């Protein structure tokens, strides 16, 4: 497959916060597909869905079993992937949604903080509609026991980058709610300046110190494979 006919793009929760947002994202994607480009779209859960699910858990138990916790948390991304697929099909775009398990994203056993071990790229390519969109639920995979796992908070970035790498792409586009990476969190420090170029080491340090802008493991993966990250762009 030629790299210019395939792109991997990730949309975060704030870009998919409401059904109106989802329709807007579907419009953006349909523009890309019109020239024959196929898009693997990795999605996060809508808005604060994951926080809301965690709140529901807290009202039931202080010690949720990991297996059920991940089964629950993974549903947020499944909702947004199915809705985005419907929004695209409504516009006449060939689209299909897959859970992490359906996309062959195999992880370590550990619930809540699993690591991606392997991705069944053939499966992704087989299901990818030419000139259309394959929407994959981020933040999740499946372990050896066929149980759903999640990758740690913010883990959809890692799903997207791992998928881009497994498809042999050198680029992964991350769409979020800020216009790029800033010298500090622009929501807290209003004078923070936008950075036009950042080294892998600098972004790794930033994300490891807790800046949410990219999941630390996604930066580690991009670093070892020299994947170029289009700095987070406002969706
Ligand atoms: P998404 O849902 O798209 O993954 P996140 O909320 O996980 O979005 O990450 C984006 C947020 O990261 C921004 O809204 C911003 O508040 C925060 N952030 C923290 N540090 C930075 C930084 N240095 N540059 C840009 N955004 C930052
Ligand atoms: N929905 C998950 C979270 O809120 C994963 C992600 O957004 O990347 O942590
Ligand atoms: Mg995030």
């Amino acid at each position: 497959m030629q790299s210019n006919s395939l792109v991997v793009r990730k949309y975060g929760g704030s870009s998919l916060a409401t059904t109106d947002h989802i329709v807007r994202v579907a419009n953006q994607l349909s523009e890309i597909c019109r020239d024959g480009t196929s898009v693997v779209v990795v999605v996060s859960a809508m808005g604060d869905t994951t926080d809301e699910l965690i709140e529901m858990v807290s009202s039931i138990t202080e010690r949720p079993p990991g297996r059920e916790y991940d089964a629950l948390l993974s549903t947020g991304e499944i909702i947004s992937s199915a809705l985005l697929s419907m929004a695209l099909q409504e516009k006449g775009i060939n689209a299909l949604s897959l859970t992490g398990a359906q996309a062959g994203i195999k992880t370590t056993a550990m619930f809540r903080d699993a690591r991606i071990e392997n991705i069944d790229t053939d499966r992704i390519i087989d299901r990818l509609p030419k000139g259309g969109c394959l929407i994959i639920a981020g933040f999740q995979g499946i372990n050896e026991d066929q149980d759903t796992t999640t990758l740690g908070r913010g883990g959809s970035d890692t799903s997207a980058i791992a998928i881009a790498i497994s498809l042999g792409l050198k680029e992964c586009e991350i769409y979020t709610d800020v216009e790029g990476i800033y010298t500090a969190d622009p929501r807290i420090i209003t004078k923070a300046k936008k950075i036009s170029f950042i080294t892998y080491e600098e972004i790794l340090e930033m994300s490891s110190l807790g800046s949410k802008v990219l999941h630390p493991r996604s930066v580690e993966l991009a670093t070892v494979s020299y994947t170029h990250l289009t700095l987070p762009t406002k969706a």
Side-chain angles (χ1 to χ4, degrees):
M1 187 157 317
Q2 281 182 355
S3 59
N4 62 356
S5 65
L6 173 63
V7 293
V8 174
R9 190 179 267 215
K10 181 247 169 180
Y11 285 96
S14 46
S15 313
L16 302 165
T18 63
T19 49
D20 283 350
H21 285 79
I22 289 179
V23 170
R24 203 182 314 148
V25 166
N27 284 335
Q28 290 178 8
L29 291 168
S30 61
E31 287 303 312
I32 310 177
C33 292
R34 287 200 205 291
D35 68 0
T37 300
S38 304
V39 190
V40 174
V41 188
V42 177
V43 290
S44 291
M46 294 169 73
D48 296 328
T49 302
T50 308
D51 290 330
E52 288 160 11
L53 292 170
I54 292 171
E55 233 168 83
M56 282 191 238
V57 172
S58 336
S59 64
I60 290 183
T61 172
E62 277 175 14
R63 285 180 302 278
R67 182 182 180 280
E68 310 311 337
Y69 188 86
D70 279 9
L72 179 74
L73 260 61
S74 67
T75 60
E77 274 70 12
I78 299 173
I79 293 170
S80 46
S81 63
L83 286 174
L84 181 57
S85 179
M86 289 181 208
L88 282 158
Q89 290 181 41
E90 188 66 17
K91 293 180 192 310
I93 301 294
N94 224 335
L96 185 85
S97 70
L98 295 177
T99 64
Q102 287 174 322
I105 299 177
K106 308 271 165 46
T107 73
T108 54
M110 201 209 275
F111 295 113
R112 291 172 177 243
D113 197 24
R115 282 176 177 259
I116 296 176
E117 283 189 322
N118 182 52
I119 298 181
D120 187 349
T121 315
D122 288 347
R123 202 171 158 72
I124 293 179
I125 290 170
D126 274 358
R127 306 305 298 269
L128 180 67
K130 196 171 176 337
C133 294
L134 183 70
I135 302 121
I136 301 180
F139 177 54
Q140 60 189 263
I142 193 170
N143 68 17
E144 225 175 29
D145 295 331
Q146 312 298 309
D147 287 330
T148 298
T149 51
T150 63
L151 308 179
R153 297 300 309 266
S156 298
D157 296 325
T158 298
S159 307
I161 288 165
I163 289 167
I165 293 168
S166 74
L167 290 168
L169 300 185
K170 282 284 170 211
E171 198 153 350
C172 181
E173 301 172 6
I174 309 272
Y175 281 72
T176 184
D177 60 345
V178 284
E179 200 52 79
I181 293 179
Y182 287 71
T183 47
D185 187 338
R187 297 198 180 282
I188 299 169
I189 312 288
T190 47
K191 285 191 180 142
K193 294 220 164 41
K194 196 172 138 185
I195 300 170
S196 58
F197 174 87
I198 191 163
T199 64
Y200 288 113
E201 289 75 20
E202 285 164 334
I203 185 67
L204 185 59
E205 188 180 340
M206 214 180 234
S207 59
S208 310
L209 290 176
S211 141
K212 283 201 311 176
V213 72
L214 282 173
H215 190 235
R217 208 162 289 152
S218 73
V219 182
E220 282 167 23
L221 288 179
T223 307
V224 287
S225 65
Y226 296 108
T227 302
H228 178 262
L229 299 178
T230 306
L231 291 184
T233 313
K234 200 170 169 79

